[in-house]
Amino acid sequence: RALVLALACFLAGSPKAAAFAPRLGSSPAAAAPSALGRRVLGGQVRTPAAAAALSLQHPARRRGAQQRSNVVLAAGRMPLPCGSLVALATPMMPDGSLDVGTLRAVLQWHKAEGTDGIVILGTTGEASTLTYEEKEEVMTVTREELGGSIPIVVGTGTISTEATISATKQAQRLGADAALVVTPYYVKPSQAGLAAHFTAVADACEVPLVLYNVPGRTGVDLSVETTVTLARHPKIVGLKDATGDNTRVGPMRTLCGDDFKLYSGEDAMARDYVLQGGDGVISVTANVAPGAVAKVMAMAKAGDGAGADKLDSTLAGLHRDLFCEANPIPVKWALARMGKTASGIRLPLVELNANFHSRLEAALQAGGCIEGVAGASGGTSAGPDDSWPAQEILLQGHLFDSGLINQVLELIENRGGDFLILNFSAQPNDQRTEFNMRRKSSVNLKIFGADKEALADLIKRVKMLVSVMESADGELTEVKN
């Protein structure tokens, strides 16, 4: 009891004093070490003195860290992990109905393969096509199979704040460890609107939230400044960053603190994201190569860049070709090809175009997901990285407001070529209330052609497109191979 009183005096005048005040007049149980004598901060158990010292060093950040830990522990929820969290594709029968038996088997497969977390009912899970009852069934089955052994994150974000609160409360009731909440899409709220939206959801719900920023799909960017502000909320515990801009992770790690989880949403860039300070990836590739993705993330988190790069290179074809058509079309075809699920998918999505089958099979083979695929010559087919001639280019300009980058990528694919995004960077957003679509960006692309003539034709057409789209103020530079 003396320790409790000393701590209360030390914290007098701070927001924590008011929080502890009701406990001081309670029964002797209030002084138990489990209540006040130990605090969990950033995954470590610390004494009150150590916690107080941290609070003095970084008052706002440490306050958020303590409260976030208390929110998770008080409800008996599993804390968010580092490593590989799979953005799970929802198994369906050929007629599009839920395949609950296969869902159970796939969940157990991920547990055995070492997947660190399960993210259900996101874009990859076709949540927008599922009914309320179907979502409830997916959550219930996932909890039955993995509850208490692997953290379960449920996608609950919608265009409406009230609908998002309702979906998040549903996930909370069914035992989710956290909710993944995407920025409202299509309506393009300001930064103030985004902050108010996420704050309203966090205030209304008990389950911890992971922010999801994917401007390429939603049309709105959650700025670093807004993310840092929201990270102070005790129930906002992480971010899925699908901007493709790995320069953000360093500042966010510094300003949000070590306990705030930072996940890449871009499979091809996740290794580098973690090496720069991130915690892991919410991965589509992990649907088909769960063990390999988990190992890459573990190596990167441990600082083993060479080891992570070597293993991740075998997955490069999957990182690329699982997006040859809109997600989750390719990954659902790949899972069926592996014999893990049936081929079911719901309209308006349809099964993968046959033109991409051999290409994705080669990527599955390179990633160790299936055995060698017999080619026309009797050998095995190789992906573009192995046999196609390639040219690296640097594309700079106003790539987003004009739609130039999307048109370049579509041109390459429509002409039978392929591409690999090597690097992406963008100027900081200089508008505090709106996403600045006019900021300059640069993208390093490796363009593949079936042969030298096809590659030369692709480069010629891309140059022509850049010159025609004057509004993009674009510049293309061929990088010496």
Side-chain angles (χ1 to χ4, degrees):
R1 183 175 294 276
L3 177 62
V4 174
L5 291 174
L7 177 61
C9 292
F10 180 83
L11 295 173
S14 76
K16 295 184 182 64
F20 289 144
R23 298 184 181 182
L24 297 179
S26 60
S27 66
S34 60
L36 288 177
R38 295 163 71 86
R39 294 274 177 236
V40 178
L41 299 175
Q44 300 181 30
V45 179
R46 301 185 188 274
T47 63
L54 285 172
S55 296
L56 289 177
Q57 292 170 13
H58 304 287
R61 193 173 73 191
R62 296 320 313 172
R63 181 160 60 250
Q66 288 185 3
Q67 292 171 339
R68 268 196 290 274
S69 297
N70 292 341
V71 165
V72 173
L73 295 175
R77 298 185 180 93
M78 295 193 72
L80 287 173
C82 296
S84 171
L85 291 78
V86 62
L88 196 74
T90 304
M92 296 177 182
M93 301 297 288
D95 64 0
S97 59
L98 285 183
D99 188 347
V100 174
T102 298
L103 173 60
R104 293 184 185 276
V106 166
L107 290 170
Q108 289 299 324
W109 177 52
H110 277 283
K111 182 178 180 179
E113 287 287 308
T115 294
D116 299 293
I118 303 289
V119 181
I120 56 174
L121 301 179
T123 303
T124 310
E126 297 175 85
S128 60
T129 70
L130 301 180
T131 66
Y132 180 92
E133 292 74 21
E134 287 172 329
K135 291 178 182 179
E136 191 156 294
E137 185 169 18
V138 171
M139 285 186 270
T140 299
V141 168
T142 304
R143 189 70 186 173
E144 289 174 353
E145 294 296 324
L146 300 180
S149 60
I150 297 178
I152 300 168
V153 182
V154 179
T156 62
T158 73
I159 195 173
S160 157
T161 302
E162 288 303 317
T164 299
I165 290 173
S166 176
T168 305
K169 286 184 174 180
Q170 181 193 27
Q172 172 183 303
R173 176 173 56 83
L174 292 171
D177 295 302
L180 180 67
V181 183
V182 71
T183 56
Y185 37 88
Y186 186 71
V187 292
K188 297 184 179 180
S190 66
Q191 295 300 309
L194 290 171
H197 168 77
F198 286 115
T199 300
V201 177
D203 287 345
C205 302
E206 296 177 6
V207 67
L209 305 186
V210 177
L211 311 174
Y212 181 14
N213 188 25
V214 54
R217 278 186 177 264
T218 63
V220 61
D221 179 37
L222 184 69
S223 71
V224 172
E225 181 179 355
T226 304
T227 301
V228 171
T229 300
L230 289 168
R232 299 190 183 106
H233 196 293
K235 293 177 189 171
I236 297 176
V237 298
L239 168 74
K240 178 182 178 181
D241 181 356
T243 61
D245 185 359
N246 282 4
T247 63
R248 294 183 173 205
V249 65
M252 288 192 294
R253 171 55 71 221
T254 299
L255 297 173
C256 295
D258 293 339
D259 67 301
F260 188 81
K261 290 295 186 288
L262 294 171
Y263 300 115
S264 172
E266 300 284 350
D267 276 294
M269 306 177 76
R271 179 193 73 253
D272 184 60
Y273 190 89
V274 174
L275 288 170
Q276 292 192 42
D279 293 298
V281 63
I282 297 179
S283 169
V284 174
T285 301
N287 277 280
V288 296
V293 175
K295 290 175 183 176
V296 169
M297 289 297 102
M299 290 177 184
K301 190 64 178 173
D304 182 5
D309 182 69
K310 182 177 180 180
L311 181 54
D312 200 35
S313 66
T314 67
L315 304 176
L318 288 171
H319 296 333
R320 179 190 65 240
D321 294 335
L322 286 174
F323 299 92
C324 61
E325 285 193 344
N327 182 44
I329 293 172
V331 74
K332 298 203 84 171
W333 183 89
L335 284 165
R337 174 65 181 81
M338 293 170 64
K340 293 295 182 182
T341 69
S343 59
I345 195 166
R346 290 190 178 180
L347 290 173
L349 303 182
V350 296
E351 290 189 25
L352 183 67
N353 188 299
N355 292 335
F356 296 111
H357 288 188
S358 60
R359 167 175 159 180
L360 189 46
E361 281 183 331
L364 289 168
Q365 177 195 350
C369 304
I370 60 174
E371 295 182 357
V373 182
S377 61
T380 58
S381 61
D385 284 338
D386 301 314
S387 63
W388 290 17
Q391 172 64 54
E392 183 180 341
I393 66 168
L394 173 63
L395 186 61
Q396 298 172 292
H398 300 294
L399 304 182
F400 293 97
D401 64 310
S402 64
L404 175 59
I405 183 61
N406 288 334
Q407 292 196 42
V408 167
L409 301 183
E410 288 175 6
L411 185 155
I412 295 169
E413 289 193 330
N414 290 340
R415 301 297 300 181
D418 203 349
F419 63 86
L420 186 65
I421 299 176
L422 302 175
N423 192 29
F424 166 83
S425 64
Q427 289 182 349
N429 191 1
D430 59 7
Q431 295 185 3
R432 293 176 179 268
T433 59
E434 299 287 347
F435 179 37
N436 181 12
M437 302 295 285
R438 288 291 298 174
R439 58 181 179 169
K440 284 193 173 182
S441 306
S442 65
V443 176
N444 276 95
L445 287 176
K446 182 178 282 188
I447 300 177
F448 299 89
D451 52 40
K452 291 182 179 180
E453 291 74 18
L455 177 62
D457 180 66
L458 282 172
I459 299 298
K460 176 183 177 181
R461 290 176 182 273
V462 171
K463 286 181 176 179
M464 185 178 299
L465 176 61
V466 172
S467 65
V468 167
M469 295 190 63
E470 296 180 359
S471 63
D473 193 22
E475 180 181 349
L476 186 152
T477 304
E478 293 187 45
V479 180
K480 185 177 181 180
N481 289 327

